Structures are given as C-alpha cells and as structure tokens.
C-alpha cells in the first residue's frame, strides 16, 4: 500500500528501473506501474493498494 508521498518516491525509482530494463514485457509493466503511481502521487489523500494471491 502506498500513500501519495510514498507513491512519489516509488515513481522516481520506476524511472531508473525502466532505463535499466532489457525485456519489453517488464518495461511495459513498469511503465504501467509508473502511471498508477503518478496518479496516486497527484491525488492528495489517496492510496494505491496491490492485492495478490
């Protein structure tokens, strides 16, 4: 779970990871994650939750 401050920090880390990624599938996933984190960071009081099995 990320709040907007944590999402901003993570978004910056995604940018570094994308530059170092050689696999297109992973790159696409990181770019999608970056979009979600950016939206969360831009919305005060928001949270981004990841739920998996």
């Amino acid at each position: 779970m990320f709040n907007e401050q944590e999402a901003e920090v993570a978004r910056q880390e995604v940018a570094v990871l994308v530059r170092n990624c050689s696999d297109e599938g992973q790159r696409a996933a990181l770019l999608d994650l970056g979009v979600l984190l950016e939206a969360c960071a831009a919305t005060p009081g928001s949270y981004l939750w990841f739920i998996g099995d």
Side-chain angles (χ1 to χ4, degrees):
M1 179 169 65
F2 294 90
N3 65 23
E4 71 267 16
Q5 291 88 13
E6 294 165 330
E8 178 59 30
V9 173
R11 188 187 64 79
Q12 294 169 13
E13 292 177 14
V14 166
V16 173
L17 292 171
V18 167
R19 283 193 299 262
N20 296 322
C21 191
S22 60
D23 180 82
E24 282 303 314
Q26 291 175 350
R27 182 180 171 92
L30 284 168
L31 291 173
D32 288 346
L33 175 59
V35 170
L36 293 171
L37 290 168
E38 185 174 354
C40 181
T43 309
S46 66
Y47 288 89
L48 182 60
W49 291 17
F50 295 94
I51 301 172
D53 53 333

